[in-house]
Amino acid sequence: MTTDRPTRAIALRRTVAALAIALAPAVLASPPAQATPGAATAHTSGAATSSSASTTGTSTTGTRVATTVPTDCQPDDSTACVAVVVMNDAGDRIPDAEVTITGPGGFDETVTTTADAPVSVAVPEVGRYTLTLDPASLPSDEQLPDGASTELEVTAQTGGTGRAAFQVGGEAVAPESPSAEATTTAPGGDDGGTDAGTGTTTDGEGVATAPEGDASERAFSWGQVWQQFGSGIRFGLLLALASIGLNLVFGTTGMSNFAHGEQFALGAALGFIAINQLGMSIWVGGLLTIAVCALSGVAQDAAIWRPLRRRGTPVMQLMIVSIGLSITLQYVIQLLIGGGSERILSANPRPLTLLGITLSTTSWISMAVALVCLVGFALFLTRTRLGRATRAVSDNPALASATGIDPDKVVRVVWILATAFAALAGLMWGISFGSFNWQLGVQLLLLMFAAVTLGGLGTAFGALVGSILIGLVVELSNLVIQSDLRYASALVILILVLLIRPQGILGRRERIG
């Protein structure tokens, strides 16, 4: 029996394979992010006692000068700190330099640096603080480079320390632009501490995450394999929650939605605005985020996809429209949150060890929520009338319509579920992994395609199986390859699956002609 549906499926697989092959070299060639040398840098760290910059020597001059506020702030659940250090080009700390810290609530304090440790003060509110260095307080032979800014900005967050470092001296390099803006990262994010013994990094207060750097320099241990296995399950569950919507849309419409990654990022962005900026509770802000994203799915289907379907627009053209929509949504998200990394929760993550796996408490909660949603989705597809109608439309829209099922109604429900699940996944991703940026969706889109292709395009539970496997491969690959290449391993799997078993693990072979 000849149908046009297998033809569309094979065309999509070939398209995805071509895109994966085209993008894989770019992913493999991407260098790891490096800090730009400059006269002044700033970052935020969740560890109160870690140094804001490495030193190569110890200054023997200068003594601690009394200040108007305590200068040994220790962050906790109710305290935010700001720390500052002045260093020369050799890495020695410069004492007796005066720095004024100003910020929300009229906070205005002047501190004096020491030679033994960064000066850290408690601030009254969470927010952005400006640190201004007084050049007159610097030694005559340790001045700021020409064009260097005397101001830095850091973000103070509850449970963390916003750290700023001014670099002075004859060999110090001035920044290309004398901007007062300094780079910041959230506590528990990419700037976590490193455990030299195992090569693992830690989130905030010791939550283990993916090991970084050269895998060949790390000692192998089964404990680390087990830890990465747990991280892979976390990665896979959140990826599955996002991927099932992508699979649902393909199964019911035959279209590959390249804008689905932006629905994922939109969930994180709206969650950041609702919870972090508007001060809503995580539950109220989360539900509002999911509701808004679900409404965006309804709007997309009503304004774009349903009219195009009724006109009989070919699937390839629909895919091109989705690419344009993806680009548009990317820059809408950038306008909403800016171009830097943001953090949904301001407090440091709390570590929790279960079954020998240490993750943040929010990660365990996110995994539980994802598992409940996936089980609920499975029950919806198998036990409810609307779920069975969705499967029928996915199998054969024409036959489903002949039996009295309204395909347009089913597709509308599918868009609601797809965007809502993507928003929930993006929200929990931002909470679990510490920080996110406006490019989160495009970074994970190919992983979603790899997951649904591995599990079986258009199959009800293929996204779950494929996502768990992709999550495990991505996290366990950190043990043998550099962390920057871990996503490339998933793309290699995508290509191999398309070559060896195009229908995926749960897919069925289909005869054409």
Side-chain angles (χ1 to χ4, degrees):
M1 180 176 181
T2 302
T3 64
D4 61 346
R5 188 162 187 82
T7 303
R8 292 200 305 266
I10 288 193
L12 173 66
R13 291 165 184 158
R14 291 175 179 172
T15 302
V16 173
L19 288 172
I21 293 172
L23 293 176
V27 174
L28 292 172
S30 299
Q34 295 181 350
T36 303
T41 58
H43 69 278
T44 303
S45 171
T49 58
S50 64
S51 174
S52 64
S54 62
T55 60
T56 57
T58 302
S59 175
T60 59
T61 62
T63 58
R64 181 178 295 273
V65 178
T67 61
T68 58
V69 293
T71 57
D72 56 352
C73 176
Q74 300 294 325
D76 54 35
D77 290 342
S78 59
T79 305
C81 304
V82 171
V84 61
V85 64
V86 179
M87 305 179 65
N88 62 17
D89 56 305
D92 298 329
R93 294 191 180 93
I94 303 299
D96 303 328
E98 294 185 357
V99 179
T100 301
I101 305 173
T102 58
F107 183 83
D108 188 345
E109 295 290 348
T110 299
V111 298
T112 303
T113 62
T114 66
D116 54 351
V119 176
S120 178
V121 299
V123 292
E125 299 181 18
V126 171
R128 301 283 288 181
Y129 286 81
T130 301
L131 294 89
T132 304
L133 174 64
D134 181 7
S137 65
L138 295 172
S140 59
D141 58 341
E142 301 285 5
Q143 292 292 314
L144 284 169
D146 292 338
S149 175
T150 59
E151 292 187 354
L152 285 177
E153 287 188 359
V154 297
T155 300
Q157 297 176 337
T158 303
T161 300
R163 298 182 180 274
F166 290 93
Q167 187 176 350
V168 300
E171 300 297 327
V173 180
E176 295 181 2
S177 174
S179 170
E181 182 98 13
T183 58
T184 58
T185 57
D190 297 333
D191 195 38
T194 303
D195 183 346
T198 62
T200 61
T201 61
T202 57
D203 273 344
E205 300 180 8
V207 182
T209 58
E212 307 288 341
D214 188 356
S216 64
E217 297 180 359
R218 295 194 298 268
F220 175 84
S221 70
W222 287 110
Q224 183 59 34
V225 172
W226 183 241
Q227 174 65 44
Q228 292 305 111
F229 177 85
S231 298
I233 295 297
R234 175 184 62 175
F235 193 112
L237 285 174
L238 297 182
L239 188 66
L241 199 59
S243 300
I244 57 176
L246 186 65
N247 222 15
L248 273 177
V249 171
F250 175 80
T252 53
T253 66
M255 181 191 76
S256 178
N257 181 22
F258 279 78
H260 192 74
E262 276 54 58
Q263 292 293 148
F264 182 84
L266 185 62
L270 293 181
F272 164 75
I273 293 173
I275 298 171
N276 193 305
Q277 294 189 337
L278 299 182
M280 297 183 183
S281 69
I282 188 171
W283 300 108
V284 174
L287 291 175
L288 180 61
T289 296
I290 295 170
V292 171
C293 289
L295 290 176
S296 73
V298 175
Q300 288 179 42
D301 185 53
I304 302 175
W305 308 119
R306 185 175 180 181
L308 291 177
R309 287 197 308 270
R310 290 190 170 182
R311 293 182 181 182
T313 305
V315 173
M316 184 61 69
Q317 278 83 336
L318 292 177
M319 185 180 68
I320 294 173
V321 172
S322 75
I323 294 175
L325 180 61
S326 170
I327 296 173
T328 301
L329 288 176
Q330 281 182 45
Y331 290 102
V332 169
I333 295 171
Q334 186 185 30
L335 287 175
L336 289 175
I337 65 172
S341 295
E342 300 295 348
R343 207 161 175 255
I344 295 177
L345 300 181
S346 59
N348 268 357
R350 293 287 184 180
L352 177 62
T353 302
L354 295 176
L355 302 176
I357 298 172
T358 302
L359 298 173
S360 65
T361 303
T362 52
S363 291
W364 287 110
I365 295 174
S366 297
M367 292 167 64
V369 172
L371 190 59
V372 169
C373 290
L374 292 170
V375 172
F377 173 70
L379 295 176
F380 164 78
L381 287 180
T382 57
R383 302 294 178 87
T384 67
R385 183 175 181 180
L386 183 57
R388 290 192 290 267
T390 302
R391 294 167 60 194
V393 172
S394 179
D395 289 338
N396 193 321
L399 183 59
S401 180
T403 60
I405 297 174
D406 184 358
D408 283 335
K409 178 182 177 181
V410 170
V411 170
R412 181 67 54 84
V413 172
V414 163
W415 275 103
I416 294 174
L417 291 175
T419 51
F421 277 140
L424 177 60
L427 176 66
M428 294 193 301
W429 185 282
I431 292 174
S432 300
F433 286 85
S435 62
F436 70 97
N437 58 36
W438 64 283
Q439 294 180 311
L440 176 64
V442 71
Q443 292 169 354
L444 294 180
L445 181 63
L446 284 182
L447 293 184
M448 297 182 198
F449 276 120
V452 298
T453 303
L454 179 61
L457 281 168
T459 58
F461 304 107
L464 173 60
V465 175
S467 296
I468 295 297
L469 292 177
I470 290 295
L472 291 173
V473 168
V474 166
E475 293 295 340
L476 289 174
S477 65
N478 283 299
L479 299 173
V480 293
I481 64 175
Q482 293 185 12
S483 177
D484 299 297
L485 301 178
R486 58 180 183 160
Y487 288 168
S489 61
L491 301 182
V492 170
I493 290 179
L494 171 61
I495 296 172
L496 293 177
V497 169
L498 290 170
L499 292 174
I500 300 173
R501 186 178 172 84
Q503 71 272 25
I505 296 174
L506 300 183
R508 299 189 304 269
R509 289 186 176 272
E510 298 172 323
R511 183 174 64 87
I512 308 298

